[in-house]
Amino acid sequence: MTKIAIILGSTRPGRNGEAVAKWVRDIAVKRDDATFELVDLADFPLPHFDEPGSPAWGNYQNEHTKAWSAKIAEFDGYVFVTPEYNHSTSGVLKNALDYLYNEWNNKAAAFVSYGSVGGARAVEHLRLVASELQLATVRAQVAISLMTEFENFSVFKPNDYLLPQVDTMLDQLVAWSKALEPLHAAAAESDADADETVAA
């Protein structure tokens, strides 16, 4: 079964993203074409990138990196739930992305954003980052306004018109994730063969 992570990309106290991510998860788990898991960056406390080598080498030295790598490697696709800070995504999400490379490759990604302009500018930056990580981003996205979907900018009360947007985004994400599964499986097998060769 195709496995999708819903990655909560904010760790600040009182964050709006937790309610948004759980809302997406609650919609997603009703589907029967994939399984979905909420992955909270607060459960994977990563310092500013502190590995001595490039993530592309996969030779991780730190236990926090190994734990993050193992979790992300489980999935075939990702929904990134992001706030917008200063026309971009959160520092904690960018840092989490930068920690890894091969684990992201040849998989699909979608975006749910929130902010004063729906977090649209955060997603534009994330699409550039995702491209470098060889993540295939789907076109459909969900942009949630702090003005209309939050009471007092802090209590999430989504309107029903957002539901078809979530469904379309997930339709595209699951389809692309399934299509890419043979590609990232082949890449993983190739990496394993290379490791065995080096060990020999």
Side-chain angles (χ1 to χ4, degrees), residues 24-71:
V24 175
R25 180 203 57 198
D26 291 346
I27 296 169
V29 295
K30 297 174 183 177
R31 301 172 67 99
D32 60 6
D33 54 357
T35 62
F36 296 86
E37 180 181 333
L38 180 59
V39 176
D40 189 342
L41 292 185
D43 296 330
F44 294 88
L46 299 168
H48 287 301
F49 182 71
D50 63 351
E51 287 288 333
S54 167
W57 301 342
N59 185 24
Y60 305 129
Q61 303 300 305
N62 299 313
E63 293 304 315
H64 53 259
T65 312
K66 294 174 184 177
W68 180 234
S69 169
K71 173 51 66 176

Side-chain angles (χ1 to χ4, degrees), residues 15 32-33 42 49 61 65 68 71 83 91 99 101 125 129 165 182 186 190 197:
R15 57 191 175 169
D32 60 6
D33 54 357
F49 182 71
Q61 303 300 305
T65 312
W68 180 234
K71 173 51 66 176
Y99 255 88
Y101 182 70
H125 280 193
V129 175
Q165 298 177 31
S190 177
T197 300

Side-chain angles (χ1 to χ4, degrees), residues 1-7 21 24-25 28-29 31-39 71-81 104 107-112 135-136 138 169-181 184:
M1 177 70 78
T2 299
K3 191 173 182 181
I4 306 293
I6 299 168
I7 297 179
V24 175
R25 180 203 57 198
V29 295
R31 301 172 67 99
D32 60 6
D33 54 357
T35 62
F36 296 86
E37 180 181 333
L38 180 59
V39 176
K71 173 51 66 176
I72 291 305
E74 294 178 12
F75 299 100
D76 304 297
Y78 311 93
V79 178
F80 294 101
V81 178
W104 304 117
K107 299 179 183 178
F111 304 98
V112 176
L135 279 164
V138 302
M169 177 196 69
L170 292 174
D171 286 345
Q172 293 182 7
L173 177 64
V174 172
W176 277 85
S177 296
K178 289 181 182 295
L180 289 167
E181 282 175 21
H184 73 74

